[in-house]
């Protein structure tokens, strides 16, 4: 006798729905009830057996990209087992479903394309974006990650093939913080591409035309935001991998019109500031006691500088006083008020007139104590620069954040060796532990994954009207609070990635509390915010 499944589906339709499919874990009673008798082999598996079977298969695949493709298929077959695997061992699987493997996945997206895992909104959809969004099978989308594909990781313009990024990133929101996957939606805005290789590739999956610009682009983004607000009320938008010339502008333009944030700017800032908070606290100093130099004044560098100023304001400085402790060096040298080529964002840090010094001269003349690299220029933190940092202060903070490893401003080994073992080091890409003077120093990785999944869960739980920068400062402080002096003494400024799920819960709870305290939350404050946040978190069980 057939009875209804909660999804309303039965038979092959049920087996083909990744959210509800249990595969061989459907019991004999369920098989009878839902019209799937005979559509499965005889065995009734436990989720544990299913997980083991699939993990063994993944382990047997030779290349990470093969594992990526296999996992993408699994995500389309059985969401529960997909997330059991990711959540069971995020340290192993994050580099496969997201960076670095997702970079290659995006480059070959056209060749490996199988099924729609999100929505493509193209220029052909102007005037009917609401209709496009309504085609998504889940009516209650609460969280969107969207890219226009113009600056995918360090790979540049990948057009519609950038879709791999929102898909992978949303998988981490769930795997790390438990953001319920059925409430999320990856979106690629296909506004063309200027990538000649893709334009000439017959297997390119996107619109084969150049990117639209100016008002035409602005209007496209505007229709997108208004459509999301209409079709998915209360939905948060996370902007991802937009080019530098659009990222900050879009964030500022929309952050008060729709609950939204940009991880490249604000998530990076959160993790960067958290590392600096830990390093200064464990040195027994304050944020305001440092002189900061940001080498590379793009989205990441200026994002970190801005949030650092917000955190210094909390220490009692005025915004102007905080900005005076931060210096930028861009491709033309030190940013000073004598320069005539500065954007408004850079002008905030043009602290004095004067000549455009090189990085080495600036580190010496300004007495820099914290040096942060987001320049993508490998090897730019040279031996003389690091030696000078070690003369400027007892424990220099040196964070080469450029990715991948080949773009890092210096290696961990260089920072430790040239500073005589004094450097407090964190990088964008991981470096192995290093033996110095009989002591093992463990470099930290300033991975945004410490911040963005937790922010996503906090936003879903508290439903704030807007996400002020202060929320990222709160996240940074909560993350920093997880690092003990003992951990710091071994070299690290972040909790180990093996504890990522625990740290996500701590950070999400702190941020949700901030939303309730500041009156931004639109749901009633629960008695126990931590339990409330945990309760909102997805559990990969049938
Ligand atoms: P971006 O393109 O916005 O900024 C890069 C900046 O570096 C630009 O402003 C560019 O002018 C500047 N630059 C180029 N050549 C330079 C030179 N010779 N001297 C000084 N500056 C120079 O990119 P972004 O989003 O800011 O990212 C920058 C880097 O930071 C990337 O490698 C990215 O992977 C990395 N990043 C790391 C993390 C992390 O580890 N958590 C997060 C975000 C970004």
């Amino acid at each position: 006798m057939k009875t209804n499944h909660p999804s309303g589906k039965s038979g092959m339709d049920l087996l083909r729905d990744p959210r509800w499919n249990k595969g061989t874990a459907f019991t004999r009673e369920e098989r009878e009830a839902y019209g799937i008798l005979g559509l499965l082999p005889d065995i009734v598996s436990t989720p544990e057996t299913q997980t083991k079977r699939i993990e063994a298969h993944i382990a047997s695949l030779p290349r990470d990209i093969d594992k990526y493709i296999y996992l993408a298929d699994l995500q389309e077959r059985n969401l529960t087992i997909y997330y059991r695997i990711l959540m069971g061992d995020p340290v192993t699987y994050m580099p496969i479903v997201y960076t670095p493997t997702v970079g290659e996945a995006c480059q070959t997206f056209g060749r490996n394309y199988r099924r729609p895992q999100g929505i493509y909104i193209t220029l052909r959809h102007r005037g009917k974006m609401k209709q496009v969004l309504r085609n998504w099978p889940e009516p209650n989308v609460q969280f969107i990650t969207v890219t226009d594909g113009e600056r995918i990781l360090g790979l540049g313009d990948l057009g519609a093939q950038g879709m791999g990024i929102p898909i992978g990133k949303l998988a981490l929101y769930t795997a790390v913080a438990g953001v319920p996957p059925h409430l999320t939606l990856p979106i690629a805005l296909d506004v063309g591409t200027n990538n000649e290789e893709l334009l000439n590739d017959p297997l390119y999956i996107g619109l084969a035309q150049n990117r639209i610009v100016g008002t035409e682009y602005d209007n496209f983004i505007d229709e997108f935001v208004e459509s999301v607000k209409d079709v998915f009320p209360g939905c948060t938008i996370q902007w991802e991998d937009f080019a530098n010339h659009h990222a900050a502008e879009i964030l500022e333009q929309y952050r008060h019109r729709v609950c939204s944030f940009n991880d490249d700017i604000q998530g990076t800032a959160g993790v960067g500031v958290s590392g600096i908070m830990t390093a200064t606290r464990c040195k027994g100093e304050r944020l305001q006691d440092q002189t900061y130099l940001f080498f590379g004044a793009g989205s990441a560098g200026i994002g970190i500088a801005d949030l650092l100023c917000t955190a210094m304001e909390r220490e009692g400085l005025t915004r102007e006083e905080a900005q005076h402790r931060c210096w930028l060096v861009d491709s033309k040298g030190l940013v000073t008020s004598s320069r005539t080529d500065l954007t408004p964002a850079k002008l905030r840090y043009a602290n004095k007139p004067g000549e455009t010094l090189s990085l080495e001269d600036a580190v010496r003349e300004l007495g820099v104590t914290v040096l942060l690299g987001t320049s993508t220029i490998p090897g730019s933190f040279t031996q003389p620069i690091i030696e000078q940092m070690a003369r400027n202060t007892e424990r220099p903070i040196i964070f080469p954040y450029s990715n991948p490893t080949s773009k890092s401003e210096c290696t961990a080994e260089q920072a430790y060796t040239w500073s005589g073992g004094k450097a407090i080091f964190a990088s964008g890409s991981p470096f192995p532990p290093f033996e110095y003077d009989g002591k093992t120093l463990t470099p930290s990785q300033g991975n945004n994954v410490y911040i963005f999944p937790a922010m996503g869960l906090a936003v879903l739980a508290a439903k704030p009207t807007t996400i002020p920068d202060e929320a990222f400062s709160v996240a940074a402080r909560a993350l920093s609070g997880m690092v003990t002096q003992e951990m710091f003494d071994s070299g690290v400024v972040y909790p180990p990635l093996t504890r990522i799920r625990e740290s996500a819960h701590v950070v999400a709870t702190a941020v949700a509390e901030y939303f309730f305290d500041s009156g931004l939350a639109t749901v009633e404050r629960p008695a126990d915010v931590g339990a409330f946040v945990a309760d909102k978190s997805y559990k990969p069980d049938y």
Side-chain angles (χ1 to χ4, degrees), residues 515-528:
F515 288 139
F516 287 115
D517 292 346
S518 57
L520 292 168
T522 58
V523 300
E524 205 178 314
R525 187 189 182 107
D528 182 340

Side-chain angles (χ1 to χ4, degrees), residues 324-395:
H324 269 85
R325 283 159 174 76
C326 300
W327 297 84
L328 307 179
V329 169
D330 64 10
S331 53
K332 310 238 169 57
L334 184 67
V335 168
T336 66
S337 55
S338 306
R339 281 179 48 178
T340 53
D341 59 340
L342 300 178
T343 59
K346 290 184 186 177
L347 261 176
R348 292 199 282 275
Y349 300 98
N351 289 321
K352 63 166 191 187
E355 52 179 319
T356 301
L357 299 175
S358 68
L359 176 62
E360 188 178 336
D361 292 342
V363 166
R364 189 183 57 253
E365 290 208 6
L366 300 169
V368 172
T369 59
V370 181
L371 178 61
L372 213 135
T374 53
S375 66
T376 69
I377 308 292
S380 45
F381 293 175
T382 58
Q383 185 166 356
I385 290 172
I386 289 176
E387 286 172 352
Q388 183 60 47
M389 289 289 298
R391 281 194 288 278
N392 290 350
T393 177
E394 183 54 33
R395 297 292 312 273

Side-chain angles (χ1 to χ4, degrees), residues 228-252:
V228 168
K229 283 169 68 176
D230 192 69
V231 177
F232 304 124
C235 181
T236 296
I237 298 176
Q238 187 242 295
W239 307 103
E240 178 71 21
D241 279 1
F242 282 72
N244 198 3
H245 57 269
H246 283 137
E249 209 174 282
I250 291 178
L251 174 65
E252 284 316 315

